[in-house]
Amino acid sequence: MKRSRIRVLVVTAGVAAAVATIVALRQNTSESPASPPEPGGGTSTSEVQHDQHDAQEYWTDRRMKEAEPAPMPHEGD
């Protein structure tokens, strides 16, 4: 009988700890604003609208032959 009481106490303490952790995590994410991005790090995106006709005029056969791929960051840079 003592073992079952100890087991109930341990399980109850574990559940209480789990609930307290979940509550703390939810409060932490809802109260703190998103941190600003670090300068010079990470990736950024933006949507740009271009006219297809302008692009076709720009990319002549000569420009296409002379085009080089854009430099891409390497893992760990």
Side-chain angles (χ1 to χ4, degrees), residues 19-40:
V19 169
T21 301
I22 292 170
V23 169
L25 289 174
R26 283 191 173 191
Q27 285 179 348
N28 191 17
T29 58
S30 66
E31 290 176 3
S32 62
S35 61
E38 295 180 18

Side-chain angles (χ1 to χ4, degrees), residues 47-65:
E47 189 172 326
V48 179
Q49 304 260 337
H50 291 287
D51 185 4
Q52 185 178 2
H53 179 71
D54 291 343
Q56 288 173 340
E57 278 187 18
Y58 179 83
W59 287 107
T60 62
D61 289 338
R62 180 178 174 196
R63 282 194 170 131
M64 288 295 287
K65 288 178 186 174

